[in-house]
Amino acid sequence: MEAYAAAAASPRTTAMMGADKLSYQLFSLLESKFLFGAGAGCLSSGPGTPARAFLDGGRVRVLAIDGCGGAGAEDALLAAAALARLEARLREQAEDPDARVADFFDVAAGAGAGGVLAAMLFLRGPDGRPRYSAQEALAFVAGGVGRKGWGGRRGRWAKICRGSRGGDRVFQRVFGDATLRDTVAPLLVPCYDLATAAPFVFSRADAVESDAFDFRLRDVCAATCAAGRDPVAVRSVDGLTAIAAASAGVAAMGNPAAAAITHVLHNKQEFPLATGVEDILVLSIGAGASATTCDGSSMPMPARSPSPRELARVTAQGVADMVDESVAMAFGYTCGSNYVRIQAGKAPAPLHADNAASAAGAMLAQRNVESVLFRGRRLSERTNAEKVDALAAELVKEQERRRRSPLPNVAIKQVGTPRLSSATTSSSGTATARTASTMPSPAPWDSRR
């Protein structure tokens, strides 16, 4: 009788055991994948499997630079100082005295002053190499600091903020007639288009496909830095696309990290192997808490009502922090290794030409507040400078891993015949250099302001 009952219950018991086993396997998979990492190789495409190890060409390396509230010169000082330190460490560890930041990144995105820095570092020179070093970009930013703060009304950054002709001349000297196509890697620079009441992103990938989306870099920088009362009118090189641009800081694009990550994950032609955040390495440089406004005056006391520009800047910084927190949560267990955020606190007030270097060093010595999955926000254990040094080592490792991989994970679109056709080819090689006549002369901002 007992044997009969056991035999009758056997199929049901077996089914229940099978369901429990399946539930356990599913939970284990979710736990290892999303909570504690996928290092055990539970997935067939996980990093621990032989197939992934053989085809692993490294992570897609993304550089994103914030630019809140107009040109954001104070923010540019932190970004430029961090990038100059990063470039110096890369040269040491790669044992290449001519290494540039752009050699170690596959995508750059920048808004406001961050857009200017990204465009400078990724501009292709006559020899096909990045035109400017990070140290030269830092000199450009620090040179905009006058004796009366960030240049007063006559300084370089004040001209850029107001969208005046003086600012246009600055960009003309830095970028010449170069366009989005004249960059060594994909470049994304956002602005806000008042004509469509929506964000607009200048993209090298679009520029390669059509002249209607190719813009001169000087116009791109003027658009993303536009903080004056009147919008900046920008047209593509063929005149078919027109933008009534306002600063990217008035929209959520003040922090372009999310836009850059989205671009990588959805651009399968240039980044065919990037399927998730574990395939991306991001350096995001955030805006510090500014102690001065764009025109060089001190921030107002709480007793008086802030101006619309000051309100816009505070709002943009808040939105940028929200984007940072969302991106950090999206990276989950890889945050800190695949997503590195550098952000300074309050800069010295007021900033002058005499203390620009010390101010940059002080911001690099600060520790920023970072987001941690399931733990909220906490003060980072490492300073900004320590994060930069650790990232340099990771970037050199990524470079070596890519050299050993039989399958490249990046295939940048190239222009077959510049300006004569929109036909493109996929290649991981270096683009053919444009003529030197389109490029600016060395250190063009040193001659006159």
Side-chain angles (χ1 to χ4, degrees):
M1 188 70 177
E2 292 177 358
Y4 175 80
S10 179
R12 181 179 180 183
T13 303
T14 302
M16 293 178 62
M17 291 177 62
D20 291 342
K21 182 179 180 180
L22 178 61
S23 298
Y24 174 78
Q25 290 176 343
L26 288 174
F27 179 79
S28 298
L29 177 63
L30 291 173
E31 180 184 56
S32 59
K33 177 66 176 175
F34 296 105
L35 297 183
F36 303 108
C42 58
L43 297 177
S44 60
S45 61
T49 61
R52 181 59 181 265
F54 175 75
L55 296 176
D56 187 12
R59 294 166 287 183
V60 177
R61 305 157 299 181
V62 178
L63 172 63
I65 311 174
D66 288 10
C68 296
E74 300 92 334
D75 310 332
L77 182 62
L78 166 66
L83 292 170
R85 183 183 181 96
L86 176 63
E87 188 173 84
R89 297 296 180 268
L90 290 172
R91 290 180 174 182
E92 293 175 1
Q93 299 191 28
E95 298 181 351
D96 181 2
D98 194 40
R100 301 291 172 92
V101 167
D103 297 333
F104 294 84
F105 286 95
D106 304 305
V107 183
V116 178
L117 281 175
M120 288 183 65
L121 295 179
F122 278 68
L123 174 65
R124 187 174 65 243
D127 58 353
R129 297 273 296 138
R131 170 66 182 84
Y132 297 113
S133 67
Q135 191 62 43
E136 289 174 319
L138 176 59
F140 172 76
V141 173
V145 186
R147 296 289 179 180
K148 298 181 179 180
W150 285 104
R153 293 187 57 83
R154 295 185 178 182
R156 178 190 305 152
W157 287 105
K159 295 175 183 178
I160 293 174
C161 284
R162 295 196 306 269
S164 64
R165 293 182 178 179
D168 294 339
R169 288 194 293 267
V170 170
F171 290 141
Q172 172 68 45
R173 293 196 295 270
V174 173
F175 297 106
D177 293 327
T179 72
L180 285 168
R181 293 182 177 181
D182 295 308
T183 55
V184 295
L187 176 68
L188 301 172
V189 180
C191 72
Y192 192 79
D193 184 12
L194 297 179
T196 60
F200 181 89
V201 179
F202 299 99
S203 171
R204 180 192 182 276
D206 295 335
V208 169
E209 295 290 344
S210 172
D211 286 345
F213 294 102
D214 191 18
F215 295 81
R216 290 180 175 83
L217 286 176
R218 64 172 185 261
D219 295 334
V220 170
C221 292
T224 194
C225 290
R229 296 181 179 179
D230 299 325
V232 175
V234 178
R235 285 189 175 274
S236 58
V237 292
D238 62 0
L240 296 180
T241 304
I243 303 295
S247 171
V250 303
M253 302 299 285
N255 184 341
I261 295 168
T262 303
H263 177 79
V264 170
L265 293 179
H266 289 81
N267 186 355
K268 294 305 180 185
Q269 183 175 353
E270 294 186 304
F271 310 104
L273 300 183
T275 59
V277 294
E278 64 274 5
D279 301 317
I280 305 176
L281 173 61
V282 180
L283 169 60
S284 177
I285 304 180
S290 174
T292 58
T293 59
C294 185
D295 59 3
S297 61
S298 300
M299 287 294 285
M301 297 298 292
R304 120 172 135 75
S305 299
S307 67
R309 177 179 295 180
E310 293 160 354
L311 282 175
R313 182 177 181 84
V314 171
T315 302
Q317 287 179 340
V319 172
D321 289 340
M322 292 173 60
V323 174
D324 165 51
E325 185 170 2
S326 299
V327 172
M329 294 304 177
F331 273 78
Y333 65 88
T334 66
C335 188
S337 58
N338 281 28
Y339 178 71
V340 179
R341 176 72 169 178
I342 294 176
Q343 187 168 9
K346 195 171 183 178
L351 288 173
H352 296 299
D354 296 336
N355 70 348
S358 60
M363 287 190 285
L364 285 175
Q366 294 177 0
R367 293 186 295 166
N368 65 294
V369 177
E370 58 186 11
S371 301
V372 183
L373 186 64
F374 299 138
R375 298 181 183 178
R377 296 174 67 83
R378 68 179 184 183
L379 189 65
S380 174
E381 298 177 353
R382 298 181 298 176
T383 65
N384 289 324
E386 291 171 342
K387 288 183 179 181
V388 169
D389 295 344
L391 179 65
E394 284 296 316
L395 290 173
V396 172
K397 291 179 182 178
E398 288 297 324
Q399 197 84 331
E400 293 299 323
R401 183 181 295 114
R402 186 166 300 186
R403 291 172 181 171
R404 296 193 302 265
S405 175
L407 185 64
N409 64 342
V410 177
I412 304 303
K413 297 177 184 178
Q414 304 297 344
V415 182
T417 306
R419 205 61 63 216
L420 298 179
S421 172
S422 60
T424 60
T425 58
S426 292
S427 171
S428 59
T430 304
T432 302
R434 302 282 287 277
T435 58
S437 61
T438 64
M439 300 301 169
S441 59
W445 53 86
D446 292 337
S447 56
R448 58 189 177 90
R449 299 213 178 156

